[in-house]
Amino acid sequence: MSAEGTEAPKTAMVLAAGLGKRMRPITDTLPKPLIKIAGKTLLDRGLDSLADAGVEKAIVNVHYLPDQIVAHVAARKAPRVVISDERDGLLDSAGGIVKALPLLGTEPFYILNADTFWIDAGEPNLTRLALAWDAARMDILLMLSALDTATGHSGSTDFLLAEDGRLSRSRGDPAGVIYAGAAIVHPRIFADASSGPLSLNRFFDTAIAAGRLFGMVMHGRWITVGTPDAIAPAEAAVAEALAAAP
């Protein structure tokens, strides 16, 4: 049970509409979420994590090479996948969520990037995220990775984590942490959002200003695959993490 005594989210938004330009030439003919790492697609790794956390319905948005993703998820039973079609135009991270709000409902839900993943160490991180969620204090709760548990990350840090779990922008401070592409959000934050392209960063900053953006550092190995030459290190990290598992 979460801090506010409610059940863990049963619904998720999986962001799978991006163009994956940095993964060319692979993504010339294959959407990035369907790239396989160690024998499993990035998208399936995320959907499997959601299933393990008890999620019953996942909204997957599509834009680039959408038919491949639609066909790939058609046979999934857990979670049940509902497609949010963005073929008419890319809406960015938050714009895709706003479009899908009628499918997501009025309760807090997970957000998951379809192009990053992680290997849990111990209790599943999405379960830990749900246990840390407190809607009375939080509008958004981000899953975070330390730099030394990340593979394939070439940028700087994203946030500074205070002792009480609140987040502020790190401005590249090496003492900061990385947003690990998974979160719990309350749909109320999108109540006044306009339709069209919107970035989640806008909503992160609004929550920071209100003192309602929180974070939880994940346990395990976080892996991002930004370019084709990142595939081999990602597969090595998966093998190493699984070999170290009890």
Side-chain angles (χ1 to χ4, degrees):
M1 302 292 281
S2 67
E4 65 161 348
T6 58
E7 292 185 359
K10 299 299 184 185
T11 305
M13 179 78 197
V14 181
L15 301 174
L19 301 176
K21 291 180 178 179
R22 293 174 60 223
M23 286 299 294
R24 289 175 175 166
I26 297 172
T27 49
D28 286 342
T29 56
L30 186 73
K32 186 177 179 183
L34 297 189
I35 291 174
K36 288 186 177 181
I37 302 296
K40 183 185 288 190
T41 68
L42 293 167
L43 180 56
D44 282 321
R45 288 185 177 278
L47 290 171
D48 287 350
S49 292
L50 290 170
D52 290 344
V55 169
E56 297 170 356
K57 180 172 72 171
I59 314 304
V60 177
N61 65 345
V62 297
H63 170 79
Y64 179 64
L65 301 175
D67 293 339
Q68 292 188 45
I69 293 177
V70 172
H72 183 81
V73 300
R76 280 202 74 108
K77 297 293 191 291
R80 178 170 62 89
V81 173
V82 178
I83 297 294
S84 181
D85 196 321
E86 297 177 18
R87 295 171 206 240
D88 291 342
L90 275 173
L91 296 174
D92 206 343
S93 50
I97 296 169
V98 171
K99 176 181 171 64
L101 281 176
L103 301 170
L104 289 162
T106 59
E107 296 300 317
F109 57 87
Y110 288 108
I111 297 174
L112 213 63
N113 290 349
D115 59 355
T116 64
F117 69 101
W118 63 92
I119 304 296
D120 291 311
E123 186 174 24
N125 283 294
L126 292 183
T127 300
R128 293 182 58 236
L129 202 67
L131 289 169
W133 170 254
D134 180 359
R137 301 169 61 223
M138 306 170 183
D139 287 333
I140 308 173
L141 175 63
L142 303 183
M143 192 173 86
L144 308 166
S145 172
L147 282 170
D148 62 1
T149 57
T151 295
H153 182 73
S154 57
S156 57
T157 61
D158 299 309
F159 298 101
L160 294 174
L161 179 64
E163 287 187 7
D164 66 356
R166 284 184 170 87
L167 296 176
S168 58
R169 292 288 183 181
S170 70
R171 315 295 179 193
D173 189 327
V177 287
I178 308 161
Y179 172 45
I184 295 175
V185 302
H186 199 294
R188 63 187 169 218
I189 67 172
F190 302 111
D192 298 321
S194 58
S195 60
L198 290 169
S199 171
L200 269 174
N201 279 305
R202 166 182 157 183
F203 297 90
F204 292 170
D205 288 335
T206 298
I208 287 172
R212 296 181 65 84
L213 182 70
F214 284 73
M216 181 207 77
V217 177
M218 58 161 288
H219 294 163
R221 172 63 53 176
W222 181 68
I223 301 168
T224 179
V225 189
T227 57
D229 61 5
I231 292 176
E235 293 191 326
V238 171
E240 181 181 354
L242 294 178

